[in-house]
Amino acid sequence: MSTFTIDTATSRATPSPVPGKRMTAPALRARKVDGSTAEPIVMLTAYTMRMAQLLDPHCEMLLVGDSLGQVIYGLPSTIPVTLEMMCAHGAAVVRGSWHALVAVDMPFGSYEQSPEQAFANASRILKETGCAAVKLEGGAAMAPTVEFLVQRGIPVIGHVGLTPQAVNTLGGYGARGRQEQEKRKILFDARTIDAAGAFCIVVEGVLEELADEITSAVSVPVIGIGASANCDGQVLVTDDMLGLFERTPRFVKRYDDLATRIGEAAQAYAEEVRRRRFPTADQTYRSKA
Ligand code: KIV
């Protein structure tokens, strides 16, 4: 049983959720049986407490992605994202959730040097956030690191295909695996990360046939983003699927148009303030007598 509760003493509290059992890495891993997953796994990104509260009932996993670099901080890529940013947002998302497994991305530069460096930083993420897993990008070269972490008690999500932290070597964010050689490498990467003990693998930005091949080839659930409907689960950047940005990758489906709705709300507020229509008596403190 989770002992998790939201502090209702804060000024913007929502009712405490009923504490329940949080999703675990072994339970998610066990969703894939004999190569198939009966019900696809639902994963979305979350970076803040309130968004975590809203998404949590609908997701098996919440990912505190390093995409927060662009989405929250307006950075040009995920490269400048720091461990401190990931820990602060990771802790907020854990505070706002009670059902989903929360996984936190290891930022660029925090794990590539050695398995020991990765363990020091991954354990810090787990201690400071309360999350239950980390995600790291990379294929065969990262397999010894994945194994090192898993054998020391840190559940790991792999991430192969388009790996945004490698944008400078990849040369952009286009779909991967178009050439036979690269296709074989990505398949090999996924198999190696599976063998190293990751409990699931994110496959990003690859041709559908390659995503299908990876999903059949590995024993753990494959979570697709810009991959294939046949993956064992799907993940999207929440702000993309809510329509907060004008431009999004082709693989994003917009389930809302929040950018327009927020703009309209701000415009309505601005007009009422300028005409002294806000605040009204309803929003004003007056003496009771
Ligand atoms: O950083 C992120 O949001 C991610 C997802 C796109 C999978 O890694």
Side-chain angles (χ1 to χ4, degrees):
M1 253 335 196
S2 164
T3 53
F4 178 82
T5 54
I6 291 171
D7 180 8
T8 51
T10 64
S11 60
R12 288 188 176 75
T14 48
S16 294
V18 178
K21 185 153 169 41
R22 228 187 234 281
M23 185 57 76
T24 65
L28 272 165
R29 162 68 191 83
R31 293 274 293 263
K32 188 161 179 174
V33 182
D34 295 335
S36 64
T37 303
E39 190 179 43
I41 295 164
V42 181
M43 187 185 201
L44 279 171
T45 62
Y47 317 114
T48 62
M49 177 281 293
R50 183 63 183 138
M51 194 58 92
Q53 285 181 328
L54 296 171
L55 303 176
D56 182 76
H58 310 286
C59 297
E60 276 89 37
M61 278 196 280
L62 291 176
L63 172 67
V64 187
D66 61 352
S67 51
L68 63 74
Q70 292 106 315
V71 175
I72 302 285
Y73 290 93
L75 295 168
S77 74
T78 55
I79 306 289
V81 171
T82 64
L83 206 54
E84 286 69 26
M85 288 175 187
M86 298 312 300
C87 285
H89 288 274
V93 169
V94 170
R95 284 195 291 272
S97 59
W98 53 96
H99 153 263
L101 179 148
V102 177
V104 175
D105 261 346
M106 298 201 70
F108 180 67
S110 73
Y111 62 95
E112 300 91 333
Q113 201 176 337
S114 65
E116 288 79 6
Q117 181 212 24
F119 183 79
N121 289 325
S123 58
R124 178 176 163 194
I125 291 174
L126 260 65
K127 282 172 193 277
E128 290 189 17
T129 68
C131 76
V134 296
K135 176 166 82 57
L136 56 84
E137 295 182 9
M142 283 300 125
T145 298
V146 171
E147 192 172 351
F148 193 87
L149 296 184
V150 173
Q151 289 188 351
R152 284 159 183 77
I154 300 185
V156 178
I157 301 177
H159 184 155
V160 303
L162 170 61
T163 46
Q165 291 177 9
V167 61
N168 289 314
T169 46
L170 296 177
Y173 295 102
R176 314 306 304 178
R178 290 186 191 277
Q179 276 87 40
E180 192 53 36
Q181 199 186 352
E182 191 182 46
K183 198 175 143 189
R184 278 204 306 273
K185 181 188 178 307
I186 295 171
L187 182 58
F188 179 69
D189 282 342
R191 283 187 197 272
T192 324
I193 293 296
D194 179 24
F199 73 92
C200 66
I201 303 173
V202 167
V203 174
E204 177 169 357
V206 299
L207 299 195
E208 187 181 36
E209 64 190 40
L210 174 56
D212 290 346
E213 212 174 325
I214 294 171
T215 305
S216 308
V218 303
S219 66
V220 295
V222 168
I223 313 294
I225 172 165
S228 162
N230 297 321
C231 290
D232 303 294
Q234 300 291 329
V235 58
L236 279 179
V237 170
T238 299
D239 302 62
D240 285 341
M241 75 87 178
L242 292 178
L244 273 162
F245 292 102
E246 276 171 24
R247 276 184 37 205
T248 51
R250 164 155 180 231
F251 56 77
V252 172
K253 178 174 174 186
R254 290 179 188 215
Y255 289 83
D256 207 324
D257 180 15
L258 282 197
T260 303
R261 293 211 280 148
I262 290 172
E264 284 168 0
Q267 188 183 15
Y269 166 75
E271 277 170 20
E272 291 197 2
V273 169
R274 291 188 182 114
R275 291 181 190 176
R276 297 199 191 284
R277 299 258 163 83
F278 173 84
T280 66
D282 284 348
Q283 294 97 26
T284 312
Y285 295 111
R286 295 188 172 160
S287 57
K288 290 196 173 120

